[in-house]
Amino acid sequence: MLESIIQNILNALQWGSFYSLIALGYCLVYGVLLLINFAHGDIFMVGAYIAFFVATFFLAAVGLPGWAVIALCVPLTMALTALVGVTLERVAYRPLRRKGAHRLYVVITALMCGLILENGNLALLGASRRLFPTLVETQVFNIGGIAVTNLKIAVILVAILSFVFLETVVSKTKMGMAMRAISYDKFAIPLMGIAPDKVVVFTFILGSSFAGLAGLMFAMSYPVLDPYMGALIGWKAFIAAVVGGIGSVRGAFAGGFLLGFVEIMVVAFFPSTYRDLIAFTILLVILTYKPTGLFGVARFQKI
Amino acid sequence: MQKFAVPIFVGLLFGFFVVTAATGAMNLYWQSVFMFMGINIILAVSLNIINGYMGEFACGHAGFMAVGAYVSSLLSVMLFAKDKVFGEALLNPDLALVLFPVVLLVGALVAAVTGLIVAIPSFKTRGDYLAIITIAANYIVKSTIENIDAIGGARGFMGMSRVTKAMEKTVDLPWMTIWVFIGTIFTIWIVWRFISSTYGKGIIAICQDEIAAEIMSVNTNKMKIVAFMLSSGLAGLAGGLFAHVLGYVNPGSFTILKSTEVMVMVYLGGMGSLSGSVMSAILFTLLLEALRPLQIIKWVVIPLMLVLLMHMRPEGIMGNRELTDVFPRLKKFVSFKK
């Protein structure tokens, strides 16, 4: 009994890691632009595909060993996914921001960009699912009857390290200070000698690269890729970010793990079809009692 | 002139559809296209209450549509058709004709009650958080339906075509076309009357400034409940019609993608514009049909067009104006009380 509980907790940590990594991207962009970047889940999907192509290229064409491929894959995937994210910002969001369009129009544009990425991928690469190559032999460690794979440990560690890194960036560096300043008052920022566009691009680079990292990790853990894999995970990661209180890095992290726990525990004790139902019901209850999420700060409106 | 123009126009349209469909001058394909047009009009107009007039961002419309679709389908099959699940028909199938609107209305009412899932949290939450609640409501409805095995679960539910056949056996007319037409006109009429009434102005007041509306004695909570329930009820009506037109429902057709489609129609037409919603629903349906040969690329082209629309003309086709504002001469025939 205890062993199965610990096993489930480990699974939940792994599942929550993906949610957290994606939720972090949502939360960064929201914190700076007050924009729900609905295309973020699909950027995660693009990241997984980029990882797939990079990995197969180095494995098949160059013939490197697995560990070297991973060492090359991580920075390349992150960089290329960040490029996709920044391109999206340049092409779709920035012109709208320049015009001072209503927030809602930007959100709709984001939703549509997500659809374009999904279906464009489907149109380009066909509907056949891709199998991600095995880069590292899975090793199973048995610790007192609990099976842990090296991949699981790696995923959890990567998520925690990413969180620490982002938290440091946001709270300690100059760029992070600029990000927080933009969300505090976007009109005073140019007066203080900060280029807002630079900060926005930096935010998108951060968020998208971590979505790419999540895509790589996800592809390694569940090696079947399909164009719609980002949609549901994206929505759910967004929900995780909201439950945590959107706009705070800690909230996104906590929310991701919370949602992971809820989902895995539901699957452990109920039929697996109830997963979405119970997860979303819990979300509704949380939002009804705490309308701004767990870590969110209530905003008062001046009259 | 104003008094009779609209009834005459509607009557002519109705006559046109019924006569062409009954004599077979309009083939089945175009009939179905016009039916989906009507259903899309209902969906777009009903979502416009929330997203346009009230200025909230709701994106879970397909959930309420699913409730209406399932409730009315189950009822109509239970009452008028022989079925594996429910056994013999409870009533004489000849009654299907008379009682079908009642069945649709029951579906709409249940969908309206489901709308409370969204309406009650909306007292405190606004903006992005409310968007999440609507998405969650959509998922909750969909997963609930998937988990009830008695009505087919994820496999879907069928048998509604027997009911429509029973109707056609009683009186040989294209009944589904007629019901969709009546439902569409009813929706446009009710939303038009609601928005142009003093009572409905409360919703527009909430859109402008909620706190000021509260101070000016608009009961905002009550108004929100009314708006959400009306919107989701009409969505349920659309769902019921949708189910009977297709003769088959499954939870997979009521996903976020369907909600997104409806949202696209609302923003394409323009927020807070009835005639805009109607026009964009017609355009959008035709577009979907025209792009059908492109298959999967269709779903790249449509979002791309919307993105371009947001860049070129973010307020949509009409943008908070009615037809009479664009063509003032029309005021001779119709009046939109603003």
Side-chain angles (χ1 to χ4, degrees), chain A residues 30 34 36 38 91-93 95-96 99 101-105 107-109 111-113 115-116 119-120 122-123 228 231-232 235 238-239 242 245-246 273-274 276-277 280-281 283-284 287-289 291-293 296 301-303, chain B residues 51 55-57 59 117 120-121 124-129 131-133 135-137 139-144 146-147 209 211 215 256-257 260 263-264 267 271 296-297 299-300 302-304 306-307 310-316:
Chain A
Y30 187 89
L34 292 184
I36 311 173
F38 275 129
V91 176
Y93 306 155
L96 283 175
K99 273 185 217 158
H102 194 276
R103 273 189 55 235
L104 207 60
Y105 301 137
V107 170
I108 292 159
T109 306
L111 253 178
M112 292 301 129
C113 287
L115 282 178
I116 291 173
N119 296 302
L122 195 60
Y228 291 103
L232 192 60
W235 282 113
F238 172 50
I239 279 165
V242 172
I246 200 158
T273 44
Y274 281 44
D276 291 3
L277 185 65
F280 284 111
T281 312
L283 162 93
L284 260 184
L287 278 188
T288 312
Y289 285 102
T292 50
Q301 200 176 348
K302 288 181 185 156
I303 305 173
Chain B
N51 282 26
E56 288 292 1
F57 184 57
C59 38
I117 297 182
I120 290 170
K124 283 202 290 190
T125 40
R126 306 239 303 274
D128 306 331
Y129 291 94
I132 311 302
I133 287 172
I135 296 165
Y139 269 113
I140 286 171
V141 168
K142 185 177 164 276
S143 328
T144 311
E146 272 175 352
N147 283 315
D209 188 335
I211 295 163
I215 292 166
I256 294 280
L257 203 65
T260 314
M263 256 170 30
V264 169
Y267 293 117
M271 289 148 77
I296 187 66
I297 301 179
W299 281 110
V300 180
I302 287 173
L304 200 63
L306 199 78
V307 169
M310 288 294 150
H311 280 252
M312 311 287 174
R313 195 179 160 79
E315 68 272 22

